[in-house]
Every structure is written in C-alpha cells, then in structure tokens.
Amino acid sequence: MNKWKIYAMLVFVMFAWGANVSLLKYMVEAVPPVTLTAFRILVAGLVVLPILWKMKLLRKPTSGEWKYILLGTLTNVVAHHYFLNMGLSITSATHGGLILGTGPMLTAISAAIILKYFPSKFQWLGLVIGLTGVGVSILVGSETMGANLGDFYVFLAILVQVLSFMVVSKAAKTLDPRLLTVYMLLIGAVILLVISLIQEPGAIKQFGATTPTFWTIFLASAVVSTAIGHLMYNYAVGQAGATKAAIFMNLNPLFSLIISALFLGEVLQLNHFIGLILIVAGVMLGSGAAEDLWKKRKNV
C-alpha cells in the first residue's frame, strides 16, 4: 500500500483513539472497568471476524505463529486494556492522554533494544519535538499535576502496548497483522471476562441500568476505536514498522483535547496551539514524511 495511505490511516486511528480516552472515561463511571473492557473487546472481535472472512484472510495459524498470538493477546489486549480502564476509572482523561503520549518515545527505545532498529536523527528529533508538543498541550496550565495510582496504571497500559508492537512487527513476517488482531481480540476478551468475574462479581447487572447514550458510546468505542482502530494500526505496524507507526501516537492526546473542547466545552489556550504545531512537526519528522517530501522535491 502507498505510504501516504498508511499515514492517512494512522491519522484516522489516532483520532479514534484520542476520542476513545474520553469515551472510556464516561463509560467507567457507569460500569466497572474490567467488565466493561471484556465486553467491549468481545464486540470488537466479533466485528473484525466477518470483515476478515469477507477479505478471505481467515486461516488457522501455524504452531510457530501461536506464540506471537498469545504473547500479543496478553500485552496488546489483556494487559493494555485492563490497566487503561483501571487507570481511567481513578484518574483524569487529561492525565491519561498525556501519559499515552509517551508511546512514541517508548516505542523507539524498545525497538532499538529488542528489534535492533535504530531510528534516524530526523526520527529522533521528531520524537523529541512531538513529545514536547504533548507536554506543552496538556501539562502547561494543568490544575491537577499530582501523580497517582491511576497515572501509574495508564503508564503500564502504554508500556505493555509498546511491547506488543514489537510482537506485531515480528509476527508480520508470516502472519497478516489483521488476522493477528482478530485472534488477539477474541482470546483476550475471554481472558478479561474471566478476570472480571473474579474481580467484579455481579458487575454485568450494571449494564441493565445504563442509558441509550451509554450504548451509543459503547458501540462507537468497541467498533470504531477498538475493532477498526486495532485492525488498521496493526496493519500499519506491519507495513511501516513499529517506530514509524508509533510516531503518530503523538496525535492521540491532541485529538483528545480537541474533542474535549468541542463536546465538553473545555477552553483551548495558547499553549494548546503551540503544542499542535510541535506535534504536527514531530509527526512529519519522526514518520519520515518530511524526508520523503524533501527527497521528492530534490528529484523534481
């Protein structure tokens, strides 16, 4: 696939994931986090399944591929979504968005250590500029700067997700990342359901007390952010590599801020617009898009 289509795909995923932070924060106020996560992931898996069947991508994995599926399930689905929802149930969406913005830097470091892939100087510069933009956008002027257990949970969520990108990159050599996604979602949902029954007995009943608005948000989160988002992102990781794809995670907290301003009435300040410029610059440099444009212009 054309690299610009991959970039556009990643921007869409970051929009969906940025919005999902606010959606999750709303939902965990109504239903306990692990129970909510189990059913959200299950719905996402059931949505992806017929899509892959229609694309004729479904097949039985080899014995060697199962280790990547299980490892990816534990990191990308079970641990990531467990800690993310637990964290958002006791911390703010603002803090959650900021911590999730550390993903690109963690991915670059992990890729260098695990995959022996070292980003170029431009990509490192993009990582630093993008991370600075995240900090300027969210930290400056924040009234709640104190770290807490919720922040730690969200950090663990992004850390295990970053590790899962390494698994996806390795698995992509023989296993289509989209097929990997559906196996991870379905197996992960079962594991999370078992955990929820132990940790939150009787919590399923709380779904019955929810509103139509809740179910609209639930489906948006499960289908768009989780099913389509994971499907597209894991495919992009397989095509562009973990480090390049993760650069776009700098857009995640930015979209979260914009959506909060539009739908929750939060006021965007000057620091948010400065952060926007830095984040976009970081994505352009870190993804290699700026280098591609420069080389194309030189060759004209």
Side-chain angles (χ1 to χ4, degrees):
M1 182 182 286
N2 181 285
K3 66 174 66 177
W4 289 103
K5 290 183 179 179
I6 294 292
Y7 295 158
M9 184 184 294
L10 286 166
V11 171
F12 171 78
V13 173
M14 291 310 112
F15 172 80
W17 285 1
N20 201 40
V21 174
S22 297
L23 300 183
L24 291 176
K25 181 62 181 176
Y26 172 86
M27 290 189 290
V28 294
E29 299 293 334
V31 176
V34 186
T35 302
L36 172 71
T37 303
F39 282 94
R40 189 170 58 82
I41 299 301
L42 179 61
V43 170
L46 292 176
V47 167
V48 173
L49 193 62
I51 293 175
L52 295 193
W53 177 78
K54 187 72 174 177
M55 295 173 71
K56 297 182 179 180
L57 290 175
L58 290 179
R59 68 171 175 83
K60 184 179 179 181
T62 65
S63 57
E65 290 169 340
W66 272 112
K67 65 180 181 181
Y68 291 118
I69 291 173
L70 294 176
L71 189 56
T73 297
L74 293 175
T75 53
N76 190 278
V77 178
V78 178
H80 170 67
H81 288 283
Y82 175 87
F83 286 124
L84 179 59
N85 283 265
M86 286 294 292
L88 288 175
S89 69
I90 52 179
T91 192
S92 67
T94 298
H95 272 206
L98 169 68
I99 297 165
L100 291 176
T102 64
M105 188 64 75
L106 292 173
T107 301
I109 294 170
S110 299
I113 296 172
I114 299 173
L115 301 180
K116 308 300 182 185
Y117 167 76
F118 293 93
S120 67
K121 292 180 180 179
F122 279 106
Q123 286 180 297
W124 277 115
L125 179 60
L127 284 164
V128 174
I129 291 175
L131 197 58
T132 301
V134 171
V136 169
S137 295
I138 303 180
L139 274 182
V140 175
S142 175
E143 297 178 0
T144 54
M145 299 285 282
N148 58 32
L149 183 60
D151 296 336
F152 179 65
Y153 281 154
V154 176
F155 176 75
L156 287 179
I158 189 61
L159 180 61
V160 293
Q161 187 182 46
V162 163
L163 293 176
S164 77
F165 297 156
M166 308 301 116
V167 177
V168 172
S169 291
K170 284 184 172 291
K173 294 175 182 178
T174 62
L175 184 66
D176 191 302
R178 294 166 291 186
L179 181 60
L180 176 66
T181 300
V182 73
Y183 278 113
M184 292 194 305
L185 289 173
L186 292 174
I187 297 171
V190 173
I191 296 173
L192 285 166
L193 183 59
V194 172
I195 294 173
S196 72
L197 293 173
I198 297 171
Q199 185 172 326
E200 300 165 349
I204 295 177
K205 297 177 182 178
Q206 295 189 36
F207 278 110
T210 55
T211 64
T213 300
F214 173 89
W215 286 107
T216 301
I217 291 173
F218 176 88
L219 289 174
S221 175
V223 176
V224 180
S225 298
T226 304
I228 305 302
H230 277 264
L231 196 65
M232 293 174 72
Y233 190 82
N234 288 339
Y235 176 75
V237 169
Q239 294 290 308
T243 302
K244 270 194 177 184
I247 297 294
F248 286 82
M249 290 176 70
N250 282 312
L251 294 171
N252 191 327
L254 175 68
F255 283 132
S256 184
L257 280 174
I258 293 173
I259 292 166
S260 296
L262 291 175
F263 296 103
L264 300 179
E266 295 184 4
V267 179
L268 291 178
Q269 300 174 356
L270 177 62
N271 62 285
H272 297 135
F273 292 101
I274 294 173
L276 168 62
I277 295 171
L278 291 173
I279 289 170
V280 171
V283 169
M284 291 295 288
L285 285 168
S287 66
E291 288 182 80
D292 291 338
L293 286 172
W294 177 253
K295 290 176 182 177
K296 188 176 293 186
R297 189 169 181 176
K298 284 181 69 177
N299 292 331
V300 172

